[in-house]
Amino acid sequence: MMPSLPVSVLEKIPHLPESPGVYLWKDAEGTVLYVGKAKRLRSRVRSYANLERIESVKTYALMKQVAAMDSIVVPSEAHALILEANLIKEYKPRFNISLRDDKSYPHIKVTVREPFPRVYVTRRLLNDGSRYFGPYTDVAQMRRALNVVKRLFTVRSCNYDLPKIAPDRPCLDYHIGRCKAPCVLLQSQAEYAVMIDEVLLFLEGRTAEVRKRVRERMDLAAESLDFERAAELRDALRHLERMEEPTVVQVVEGGDRDVIGYARDGDDACVALMRIRGGRLLAREHQLLGNLSEETDQAVLAAYLAGSYLQLEDRAKELYAPFDFDDRELIEQSLEKSSVVIPQRGPKRELIDLAEQNARHLLEEALLEGDETEERAADPVYELQRQLGLQRVPRAIVCFDISHAQGTDTVASCVWFQNGRPFRGEYRKFKVKTVEGVDDFASMREIVERYFRRRIDEAKRMPDLVVIDGGKGQLGAAQDALNALQLSELPIISLAKRDEEIFVPGRSESLRLPRRSLALRMLQQARDEAHRFAITYQRLRRAKRTVTSELLQIPGVGAAKRRQLLETFGSLEGVRAAPAEAIAALPGFSAKSAQRILQALQQSSPIPAVAANGSAATEPTT
């Protein structure tokens, strides 16, 4: 009988992300049968669903025992490769290849406890106080990075236990400029320590200062006509950009940590707990929390720690939390031997980010199974929620913009972004009706009120976030419109184009997101799309008004004849290019009137072509 995947697994597959990760096949008792890595989780797991095409006897036997599937999201394929190896060593699944030699990926080790530290490659991770960087999946690339370190920093390559045991004279490295001979005290311990600090900065990925110093040394060597040294430094500078960054999946420096990731969407939240033991990520657990109405994130996280985490027997010495929480002092007292750390940057914060990514993945999975949403939200949406302090994930975002031509043809647009992507079915365009002249504030107040009043009348769902193109003035006008409709609880912000400042009601200072922030890029995309949509509509109206007025200026051409000409020839340019005989053949026209129309049009300047988006012309007008 052909085996089939359990219904619970089949329901999960469409909602898995198309991003790197690891999947675990389990039997009915929860035992891990197989651990696999994937460049795109959804596509890889889906390939198991077509069981008729499975040719491997081992895979066929595996699928006959599968009762459940779990997945862990990671930032890249390299992370997935390393996490897969760690989980295989931890669970020893019967359907995975057995790694009997138990080799691990190489690291770069810096023996910082020694008076004159060494830098070398190792596969053994010891809790000896040394600094370890890695693991590296590309050994050749790692060795190139190590060579860059040796070229730039003249780190000693000998194995002497300095200063207890030392040679009588310097080795060849000193004579070729690869070492400054600390072994015979030609370099002091203090000077060597400063150099090691730079090595650590380089290996941590903080290469901006290192690149600056290398460039200065290269220029100095070129000025001194030492072109061989300048070329060597130039090559080292190129390698700086190619160095593979250490993965956050494996951390040594003490070994045991519990890392918490947190994600929330309205009344639902998920806490993901990642267990790191001996420097390896071994497991991920999670808990869903509900009924969170009017509860703060700080209170929710405290409730999880007090109700679930404190009950665990296997707790690490350090607990990484994403933010501060209520009753922290009491909870830390209850943790006894464990301490709470709230990282802000660096590798520790990267671990928090990884845990939060998994928390978002698990929360999305739960919401999708409950039919509360139709599509998985993109990461920028969650980032925007965190930056703005929103309790609900801003899946649905609307953005308003005003456009006019020197005070005439004032129009507005509203674009809708769903889960970080344009949703053109909800685009709307407006003719500003009650405002004379140039008054962006009054125009914004009018269109926001008209838009939301209609959604209330038609009982349509409200967006999760309103974005206004402009500064404090436009934001205040839009907020007045929402208050008049008793929608004051609807989150609203404005984005000023000049400095990309975000204005939030109730805050005197603007909020500025990092230029590389994915959340900022998503807001910019929505703002630019609203501007494009508005200006396209405004140009179409201006062109239409120009066409109409030009035809009406011709004696003997009224509204009926104007309509007939445009319907026959398609546009003003079509009328201008038409033969006189074709115009004269129309009902109500003569050869004389045709000549008069063409002469009038030839004397006027051609209308510039308007670049109109094809889909924009079909958007609803309000």
Side-chain angles (χ1 to χ4, degrees), residues 571-607:
S571 65
L572 184 62
E573 289 301 314
V575 177
R576 183 181 281 115
E581 296 79 4
I583 298 176
L586 296 176
F589 290 84
S590 63
K592 186 175 180 181
S593 63
Q595 289 292 341
R596 185 173 65 250
I597 291 171
L598 291 176
Q599 288 175 1
L601 291 179
Q602 288 171 0
Q603 292 173 1
S604 63
S605 59
I607 303 297

Side-chain angles (χ1 to χ4, degrees), residues 44 46 48 65 105 119 139 167 191 202 238 298 341 416 424 476 491 504 511 555:
R44 183 68 185 96
R46 181 186 286 145
Y48 286 91
Q65 301 180 40
Y105 290 98
V119 181
V139 177
E191 183 183 355
F202 169 72
R238 290 175 179 172
Q298 291 76 13
V341 180
W416 185 293
R424 290 180 173 79
V504 181
L511 174 66

Side-chain angles (χ1 to χ4, degrees), residues 159 302 479:
N159 294 322
Q479 195 175 11

Side-chain angles (χ1 to χ4, degrees), residues 296-341:
T296 64
D297 293 334
Q298 291 76 13
V300 175
L301 184 56
Y304 163 78
L305 293 173
S308 296
Y309 185 73
L310 287 177
Q311 310 304 319
L312 299 176
E313 295 182 3
D314 180 23
R315 294 198 300 265
K317 292 182 179 180
E318 283 189 330
L319 171 65
Y320 291 174
F323 48 80
D324 206 353
F325 46 87
D326 295 350
D327 301 323
R328 177 176 174 180
E329 185 176 348
L330 293 175
I331 291 175
E332 283 187 300
Q333 290 176 3
S334 302
L335 289 173
E336 297 175 349
K337 297 181 180 180
S338 299
S339 61
V340 177
V341 180

Side-chain angles (χ1 to χ4, degrees), residues 22 35 53 66 130 139 176 188 237 254 258 271 359 454:
V22 172
V35 177
R53 294 192 175 184
V66 164
S130 298
V139 177
I176 62 175
S188 69
L237 196 60
D258 288 334
V271 176
R454 183 163 183 174

Side-chain angles (χ1 to χ4, degrees), residues 114 116-119 154-160 162 179 182 192:
E114 296 179 355
F116 296 92
R118 294 167 294 149
V119 181
T154 63
V155 179
R156 71 184 182 102
S157 60
C158 61
N159 294 322
Y160 291 110
L162 301 180
C179 179
Y192 195 92

